[in-house]
Amino acid sequence: AVEVVESGGGSVQPGGSLTLSCSGSGFTYSRVCLAFFREVPGKEREGVAGIDVDGDTKYAESVSGRFTISHDSADAAKTTVHLTMNNLKPEDTAMYYCAAGECTAWWLLLNKLNFPYWGRGTQVTVSP
């Protein structure tokens, strides 16, 4: 069975940095795309950053230039990724979820309907 696990959430002051990690396993295909989504109560879950198996990335406009998603260099299967979040803002506070699925089109990297497998989430809180 496919398993997706996130780690690395926590609390940080505005302007600070955090790195989230996500590791997936049990896939029956080799072209795995991974993405981070976030959700706050009362709002729809939104795509934050995604990466395809070739290393192409897509970011939400609200995090572009501050967040970076990358494959773990030690993982040849490319099913482990890191989300480095810099210059964090209070509005980045949310539950962050990792999602995984078979790569289709690059422009679908932030479309939650493209991802059948999800982690349980990790909380990120940005406050003074």
Side-chain angles (χ1 to χ4, degrees):
V2 173
E3 186 176 22
V4 178
V5 180
E6 314 94 337
S7 62
S11 296
V12 65
Q13 292 184 340
S17 299
L18 279 175
T19 296
L20 305 183
S21 297
C22 171
S23 183
S25 61
F27 300 104
T28 58
Y29 40 80
S30 61
R31 296 187 61 80
V32 177
C33 279
L34 293 150
F36 281 92
F37 291 74
R38 66 187 181 188
E39 186 174 338
V40 296
K43 290 190 176 182
E44 189 174 349
R45 187 173 297 190
E46 64 170 351
V48 174
I51 187 167
D52 71 12
V53 69
D54 299 318
D56 292 323
T57 57
K58 187 173 178 63
Y59 297 94
E61 186 174 343
S62 59
V63 307
S64 183
R66 299 188 297 122
F67 291 12
T68 302
I69 189 169
S70 60
H71 287 118
D72 188 297
S73 59
D75 178 16
K78 297 184 179 180
T79 57
T80 299
V81 295
H82 306 290
L83 181 68
T84 301
M85 305 182 292
N86 295 320
N87 190 22
L88 282 161
K89 303 176 181 181
E91 52 263 43
D92 295 317
T93 295
M95 183 70 79
Y96 282 71
Y97 297 89
C98 184
E102 187 171 18
C103 291
T104 52
W106 166 83
W107 55 86
L108 294 176
L109 279 176
L110 298 186
N111 186 328
K112 58 182 178 288
L113 298 178
N114 197 44
F115 296 94
Y117 306 108
W118 294 79
R120 294 186 176 184
T122 185
Q123 178 68 35
V124 172
T125 302
V126 185
S127 64

